Amino acid sequence: MVASTHWLASATGMGVLERGGNAFDAAVAAGFVLQVAEPHLNGPGGEVPILLWSEAEQKVSVVCGQGVAPAAATVGRFTELGLDIVPGTGLLAATVPGAFGGWMLMLERWGTWSLADVLAPAIHYAQHGVPVLERVAATIESVQELFTDDWPTSAATWLPGGNVPAAGSKLANPVLAATYRRVVAEAEAASSSREGQLAAARKAWYEGFVAEAIAEFSAKTAWRDSSGEVHGGLLTGDDLARWSATVEEPLAFDYRGHTVYKTGPWGQGPVFLQQLALLQGFDLDGMGFLTADYVHTVTEAAKLAFADREAWYGDADVPVSDLLSEAYNAERRKLVGAEASLELRPGAPGGRAPRLPDYPAPGTTSAAPGLSGARSPQGVGEPTVARNGLVKGDTCHVDVVDRHGNMVSATPSGGWLQSSPTIPELGFCLGTRAQMFWLQEGLPASLRPGTRPRTTLSPAFALRDGRPWLAFGTPGGDQQDQWSVNFFLAVVHGRLNLQEAIDAPMFHSEHFPSSFFPRGSRPGVLHVEDRLDAGVTAELRRRGHEVEVQGPWSLGRLSAVARDGAFLKAAANPRGAQGYAVGR
């Protein structure tokens, strides 16, 4: 089974499985196709966290394909430039592009296919073109002026003939195809073994011609970014050469016969587990699925968990055990009252005093603090959810389960075509994940050279009754660990099957500060699809939630695969008529 956010990626992954590849081979091939099919949502310059179940090893592992901040990226350096927030676009926000390393590490350690075979579908689509999604056309149209006036290398790539490509037309990226063909050619020339070729491919990317082009572009060019000013980059060849993807142990939490696994607190994944730890003390079954009591309780628990994310998460020493402890959550549950909270209330795990960053004023959405005369920022932030809560697109997600029982949940993102100017020799741009760092010293998520930004990317995996069961996830920035929690609870408490749980009316809060430039917040705001019962919506408003009702199929981008007894199962998101689940 394969389920993802784009039908071409799902079909590619299924083709790999049909030809004898395993789940890891299929996920890698699908992941590279997503870079071509959804270029407004991920790219080669982005990153990928992966959770996987190896049937041979009988364990869950995390592959961290999240790059780190450059050695020159310090708070002091940004202060010298007159910035108190990392721009949401341009070269200054680039971290080491980790997606290639992450995919290659999984392929080498658990896969079976060759580099040439897994890259062949992406190379084909990049060379010959893919159908332009309406969202791709709309994204390019939204940044057309920026490309034309300020980023001519992007205009050359994404404005064929100087025009926005029409939805339904075919759009190719032959320069990217040539980049991947050269990686394959250099790898095959370097070694005759599969392992040797994968090592040579990583070397070409992080030390060879790809790294050289990235470093030269970063050092020798400067571009307008969302600060309104023109800046060069900080990323160097040494930064790329020093970095490599890693395999890590996941974090886990037991909830009503299920064990859920997430990444460490360098990502927001543990906030899913914190929500479960809080909700474990409430009778959600007694409340009834999607009643006012249910939605209110789940929302208020999310607010508390995400407040802890703001105070405690980062690539640092995080008190995870205390945050997930029953004693800590028993006290935190007492803060869930009958009315909606309008405060950001982090806790004090183990008696430690929380410290929050200096946020922009609540409601800030259009300009960064401390910057005057900035243009209306184009292309900034995470492309999934507009500030009015409407889904404009999605990052990407792919889930795979194979005939052996291996399972993969991966959330590739970053390096969107609107992130920063296209590197003309490579056909892709750098990512902007450094916008998630704070330019304040002493915080877990403070900008520090060589550390990972506290990313929102959050794949998920779960056991049921001690056996591997479910790989799932969604794009959506700060919404990822709300939508995926809602899906999980719909299965566990709503007794829905996978597709019914994805299809159920979705909701999420914008109460806490955004992880993306310009880091605004909207305290008390709760978005719900209009398919939620009108009486429930009215009661939520009575309880103090500022409810904003969205279209009937507008929130969430989930997909999932499962092992269920003798069956394999999959489901994909119908919203946007783009997600696709396939299997046999």
Side-chain angles (χ1 to χ4, degrees):
M1 294 284 175
V2 184
S4 82
T5 51
H6 195 286
W7 67 88
L8 287 178
S10 296
T12 296
M14 195 63 211
V16 173
L17 296 178
E18 292 279 9
R19 288 177 287 160
N22 66 18
F24 312 112
D25 303 319
V28 173
F32 281 102
V33 167
L34 285 170
Q35 297 174 0
V36 181
E38 298 187 292
H40 59 317
L41 310 173
N42 80 138
E47 47 275 322
V48 61
I50 305 167
L51 266 72
L52 63 90
W53 170 267
S54 166
E55 187 68 7
E57 297 173 351
Q58 289 288 296
K59 65 174 295 189
V60 180
S61 296
V62 173
V63 174
C64 176
Q66 173 59 60
V68 299
T74 64
V75 172
R77 177 70 176 126
F78 280 81
T79 301
E80 291 171 2
L81 295 172
L83 300 171
D84 58 9
I85 189 170
V86 178
T89 63
L91 299 182
L92 280 177
T95 57
V96 173
F100 189 85
W103 290 124
M104 290 299 102
L105 178 57
M106 182 170 72
L107 181 65
E108 178 181 41
R109 181 160 169 176
W110 291 281
T112 64
W113 272 31
S114 71
L115 175 72
D117 285 341
V118 296
L119 282 178
I123 291 172
H124 171 85
Y125 285 126
Q127 182 66 46
H128 298 287
V130 295
V132 176
L133 299 169
E134 288 185 9
R135 291 185 179 91
V136 172
T139 298
I140 295 174
E141 183 177 20
S142 73
V143 291
Q144 180 180 13
E145 180 183 350
L146 173 69
F147 285 4
T148 301
D149 293 349
D150 297 312
W151 294 3
T153 60
S154 295
T157 304
W158 303 108
L159 296 172
N163 301 311
V164 175
S169 66
K170 186 183 286 188
L171 182 62
N173 188 344
V175 178
L176 177 60
T179 295
Y180 280 137
R181 280 199 299 267
R182 182 174 173 184
V183 170
V184 172
E186 291 193 5
E188 291 181 339
S191 176
S192 60
S193 74
R194 175 179 173 275
E195 292 73 18
Q197 289 176 5
L198 294 175
R202 282 196 296 268
K203 188 174 180 67
W205 197 270
Y206 292 103
E207 300 179 53
F209 80 96
V210 175
E212 291 168 0
I214 290 172
E216 182 172 5
F217 191 78
S218 183
K220 296 184 178 180
T221 68
W223 310 84
R224 191 175 304 279
D225 59 36
S226 56
S227 72
E229 304 299 327
V230 174
H231 297 112
L234 302 175
L235 199 60
T236 69
D238 286 343
D239 293 318
L240 276 80
R242 281 195 294 260
W243 182 84
S244 60
T246 54
V247 176
E248 303 177 1
E249 294 297 316
L251 293 178
F253 186 81
D254 292 326
Y255 182 84
R256 300 176 185 267
H258 306 81
T259 304
V260 180
Y261 293 87
K262 303 294 284 189
T263 71
W266 53 265
Q268 75 171 9
V271 81
F272 187 117
L273 308 183
Q274 282 198 251
Q275 289 171 85
L276 295 185
L278 288 162
L279 292 170
Q280 192 148 251
F282 294 98
D283 183 12
L284 295 184
D285 289 327
M287 294 177 189
F289 181 59
L290 291 185
T291 63
D293 281 345
Y294 179 100
V295 175
H296 171 79
T297 301
V298 171
T299 300
E300 293 303 297
K303 291 177 183 179
L304 293 173
F306 276 87
D308 277 344
R309 181 196 74 169
E310 294 301 293
W312 297 110
Y313 289 19
D315 194 2
D317 184 16
V318 178
V320 174
S321 295
D322 288 325
L323 290 168
L324 295 177
S325 70
E326 174 54 28
Y328 176 74
N329 285 282
E331 289 299 311
R332 296 285 278 165
R333 280 186 211 111
K334 297 175 183 177
L335 297 176
V336 177
E339 304 294 320
S341 170
L342 300 182
E343 300 177 81
L344 190 66
R345 301 178 290 179
R352 305 167 182 85
R355 180 189 167 198
L356 291 169
D358 297 328
Y359 296 109
T364 300
T365 60
S366 61
L371 299 173
S372 59
R375 295 183 178 188
S376 176
Q378 295 174 294
V380 301
E382 201 276 344
T384 302
V385 181
R387 294 308 303 171
N388 63 1
L390 293 175
V391 176
K392 296 300 185 185
D394 42 56
T395 300
C396 302
H397 187 80
V398 58
D399 301 299
V400 185
V401 56
D402 67 21
R403 63 193 181 281
H404 309 294
N406 300 305
M407 302 180 76
V408 177
S409 173
T411 310
S413 186
W416 314 303
L417 66 88
Q418 65 273 30
S419 293
S420 64
T422 298
I423 302 171
E425 298 88 352
L426 301 177
F428 65 85
C429 64
L430 294 172
T432 54
R433 198 60 60 174
Q435 67 184 285
M436 295 178 156
F437 286 113
W438 287 101
L439 298 182
Q440 300 163 40
E441 301 283 7
L443 299 167
S446 295
L447 177 62
R448 299 184 305 280
T451 60
R452 294 168 287 190
R454 199 274 300 140
T455 177
T456 54
L457 305 176
S458 192
F461 187 83
L463 308 183
R464 183 169 63 187
D465 299 325
R467 297 297 303 151
W469 169 49
L470 185 65
F472 63 107
T474 178
D478 296 301
Q479 283 69 44
Q480 285 183 34
D481 284 298
Q482 297 186 74
W483 292 341
S484 58
V485 165
N486 292 346
F487 162 79
F488 180 78
L489 297 176
V491 174
V492 174
H493 293 285
R495 311 304 196 268
L496 304 183
N497 66 37
L498 300 185
Q499 193 62 56
E500 290 170 336
I502 289 175
D503 292 353
M506 189 58 71
F507 59 94
H508 72 261
S509 172
E510 275 197 301
H511 175 80
F512 41 84
S514 170
S515 298
F516 295 87
F517 177 99
R519 313 303 292 266
S521 62
R522 304 181 70 203
V525 171
L526 176 63
H527 295 278
V528 303
E529 289 184 335
D530 68 7
R531 294 181 295 124
L532 189 66
D533 182 83
V536 170
T537 300
E539 174 61 14
L540 292 169
R541 286 195 171 111
R542 190 194 68 78
R543 296 187 185 197
H545 297 278
E546 187 177 332
V547 180
E548 296 188 2
V549 178
Q550 309 299 342
W553 296 92
S554 59
L555 305 179
R557 283 293 182 269
L558 283 143
S559 64
V561 298
R563 293 170 55 177
D564 188 2
F567 294 97
L568 303 181
K569 297 181 177 181
N573 172 60
R575 298 163 178 86
Q578 186 178 315
Y580 191 66
V582 61
R584 72 165 177 89

